Every structure is written in C-alpha cells, then in structure tokens.
Amino acid sequence: MVYMVLLALVLIAGAAAAVAVQRRAAGGAGVVPLVPAADFDARAEAERWVERLGGSLSTLDAGGDKAAGQALADADERYRAARGQLAAAGSPAQYAMVRQTAVEGLHYVRGARTALGLDPGPALPDLGAATVTARDGRVTVDDRTYAVSDRPGGATPYYYPGGVVGGRRVPGGWYSRPWWKTALVAGAAGAGGDGIF
C-alpha cells in the first residue's frame, strides 16, 4: 500500500514539473501557445482547392484528344506541385501559394473540358488576365510570333490559363507553342514573358 502511495506522489510531482516546463517555454503566460486560427483557415482553404483539383483530374480522360491531353498533363503537374507545396507550407502566405497553384491547375482542367466539348464546369477565381477572343490571332513573345485562339485546333493545341508573366498580364487561350514553359524554366516566369504584347 505504501508503495502505491509513493508511486502516485512521484507521478503527481512529474506532472507538475512538466506543466512548469511548458509554462516557462510559453514565456510564463501559463498556457501553451496555439496555432493562430488564420493559419488553420488558410490551410483548410488551400486543402479544399487541392482536393478539388485532384477530384477533377480523377474523373476526366482525354482519350485521344491531343489538346485535352496536354491541358490535363499541365493540370496534373500543378496538382503534384500544389501537394508538395502544401506539405511544406506553414504560413498563410505559403498556403495562398498552394491555393494559387491548385487554381491554375483547375483552369487547365477547364481547358481540357472545353477541348473535349464538355461543359467547362463552375467558375474559378481569376488569374489576373482576360481570355483570348476570336479576333486576337497572333501574339509576339521574345521576337517570335505565335498563333493564339479562344478554341483548341490543329494550329493551337497548347492551353495557357492566363495570368501575369514577367510583370505583364497574359490572356488565357490556346497557343501554337507552349512558350510559357520556357519562360518558367528560364527564371520565375520572367525571361520569356517580358516581350509579350
């Protein structure tokens, strides 16, 4: 019986010591610091967009359509990038980047759906640029001219959702070549996009 009482006292003393250490680590405030609610909200929002992108990809097949296949490959690339970003994110700004990457992927899914003749799906947040209209026809990037259209075709099989490249707004649409991939590889989307429009 004495042994049990001594064991109980040792356990109580150990718990009191652990609480004291936690209070000291928290700056004497008496509570263990919590993660701000804004961080949880930002993470939940980012996770929602990543899950939506993953779900959209899992239900769509390009079949033999080259333009849709290209758009889906780009969407899948954004999905993998967003998942990697989400795993490493820890601040609202980082979660905003995850969200942006997932939304870009969803724009590519919309492009694939359009190429397949399907309803593009629900509206998405804007990426900062308008879409190409049927009258546009040509775009010049780094002294090279590319065909561009509001619809996929034999001459315009590469989809770009639009956005800001090299500080300039670039419209979304179907292009004759994927010039933006070179721009992104060359350095934070600046090298190839400076000469556009």
Side-chain angles (χ1 to χ4, degrees):
M1 180 70 160
V2 171
Y3 177 73
M4 295 297 261
V5 170
L6 287 174
L7 180 62
L9 289 174
V10 168
L11 289 175
I12 291 171
V19 169
V21 168
Q22 283 182 343
R23 285 186 180 172
R24 253 182 278 192
V31 294
V32 177
L34 299 174
V35 176
D39 288 357
F40 283 128
D41 291 344
R43 180 174 181 87
E45 178 74 1
E47 286 175 343
R48 181 175 73 88
W49 286 103
V50 172
E51 288 172 10
R52 182 172 168 186
L53 175 55
S56 295
L57 284 168
S58 70
T59 61
L60 197 57
D61 182 11
D65 189 292
K66 179 181 176 185
Q70 175 272 320
L72 286 176
D74 288 337
D76 185 59
E77 178 182 300
R78 297 309 187 283
Y79 177 60
R80 285 183 275 121
R83 285 188 348 189
Q85 290 171 333
L86 184 61
S91 71
Q94 292 170 330
Y95 292 126
M97 291 296 293
V98 172
R99 178 188 176 276
Q100 176 72 17
T101 302
V103 169
E104 286 175 11
L106 285 164
H107 276 276
Y108 279 107
V109 168
R110 283 179 65 92
R113 293 180 65 82
T114 300
L116 292 169
L118 302 172
D119 180 281
L124 296 170
D126 185 25
L127 292 177
T131 56
V132 169
T133 62
R135 69 184 189 315
D136 289 316
R138 300 248 172 242
V139 172
T140 300
V141 181
D142 283 343
D143 299 325
R144 290 187 181 178
T145 301
Y146 302 99
V148 62
S149 175
D150 61 341
R151 290 268 179 219
T156 54
Y158 299 99
Y159 182 74
Y160 180 69
V164 179
V165 177
R168 297 173 188 259
R169 293 182 185 275
V170 180
W174 294 88
Y175 288 80
S176 56
R177 293 176 138 213
W179 57 263
W180 54 90
K181 292 187 181 209
T182 304
L184 294 172
V185 170
D194 288 341
I196 194 161
F197 297 111

